[in-house]
């Protein structure tokens, strides 16, 4: 079974490598070829999306946003009957658009965003939120098993993206709340690390707060998930909620992320929103 993998960034590169290590034939493409070259030992690096997709049984997209995915899909022009595993986080509107493009091309579409950042991707410990036709499951399973510790099938295409936004709303709010608590401690003249020490081991403890909090306190933000992409995801959450649900936590995270990006932290980890909370760049 051959796989065309489009998008070899922070998440895509380790995912493609793990698919190849699982024994599948993989051809990779990235707009910036240099980001795909490190995979040359385990996969074939293609000069174009079309070359990567030619004759492939499965197309996987792991790109920044809906427009990037749509552009890559159009350039790839996969053959009718190809199984398309769309694993990027693109929101509800773009998921519908991509599903329509797949139908027009005669391509089988599975909406399958993932939970996890760089390290889980490297360790094949992601969770796949898959949604699409039941008949796609047998062919999709080897790919999902290669990158994830768990795949959750959720029904018709689009349900995966819906659940991804729900989880992202929580992650964004948690990251922002951690930053605000650390910032408030600092503003009140306390050692901010006291917050993390106080919640550790108790009913209020969350491992994610310690990971992001440590980066905030160190003032170092190696990108597990870049702030610019986190801001994109926050916008998708706010857009999906519309007027029906007040996602104030996501909006607060978005405001801080946008300020951090504006201050030059867009390529750093989303924990850099702390710089906006404490009014430093």
């Amino acid at each position: 079974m051959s796989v065309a993998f489009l998008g070899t960034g922070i998440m895509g590169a380790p995912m493609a490598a793990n698919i190849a290590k699982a024994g599948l034939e993989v051809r990779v493409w990235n707009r910036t070829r240099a980001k795909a070259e490190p995979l040359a030992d385990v996969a074939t690096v293609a000069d174009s999306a079309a070359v990567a997709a030619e004759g492939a049984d499965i197309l996987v997209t792991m790109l920044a946003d809906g427009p990037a995915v749509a552009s890559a899909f159009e350039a790839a022009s996969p053959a009718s009957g190809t199984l398309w595993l769309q694993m990027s986080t693109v929101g509800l509107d773009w998921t519908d658009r991509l599903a329509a493009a797949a139908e027009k091309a005669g391509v089988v579409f599975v909406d399958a965003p993932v939970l996890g950042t760089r390290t889980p991707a490297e360790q094949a410990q992601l969770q796949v939120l898959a949604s699409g036709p039941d008949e796609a499951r047998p062919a999709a399973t080897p790919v999902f098993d290669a990158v994830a510790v768990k795949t959750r099938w959720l029904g018709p295409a689009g349900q995966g993206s819906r659940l991804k936004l729900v989880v992202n709303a929580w992650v964004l709010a948690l990251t922002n709340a951690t930053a605000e608590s650390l910032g408030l401690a600092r503003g009140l003249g306390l050692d901010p690390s006291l917050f993390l020490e106080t919640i550790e081991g108790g009913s209020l403890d969350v491992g994610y707060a310690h990971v992001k909090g440590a980066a905030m306190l160190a003032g170092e933000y190696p990108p597990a998930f870049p702030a610019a992409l986190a801001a994109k995801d926050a916008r998708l959450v706010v857009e999906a909620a519309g007027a029906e649900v007040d996602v104030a936590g996501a909006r607060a995270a978005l405001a801080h992320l946008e300020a951090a990006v504006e201050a030059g932290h867009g390529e750093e980890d989303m924990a850099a929103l702390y710089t906006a909370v404490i009014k430093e760049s």
Side-chain angles (χ1 to χ4, degrees), residues 61-77:
T61 46
M62 192 64 185
L63 294 152
D65 53 26
V69 174
S71 176
F73 178 75
E74 182 178 1
S77 188

Side-chain angles (χ1 to χ4, degrees), residues 6-7 29 49 59-78 84-91 94-95 97-99 101 109 232:
L6 310 184
W29 170 84
L59 177 70
V60 179
T61 46
M62 192 64 185
L63 294 152
D65 53 26
V69 174
S71 176
F73 178 75
E74 182 178 1
S77 188
W84 180 13
L85 307 180
Q86 204 307 97
M87 305 185 77
S88 322
T89 300
V90 299
W94 270 106
T95 295
R97 294 193 201 186
L98 298 173
F109 181 77
K232 177 265 296 183

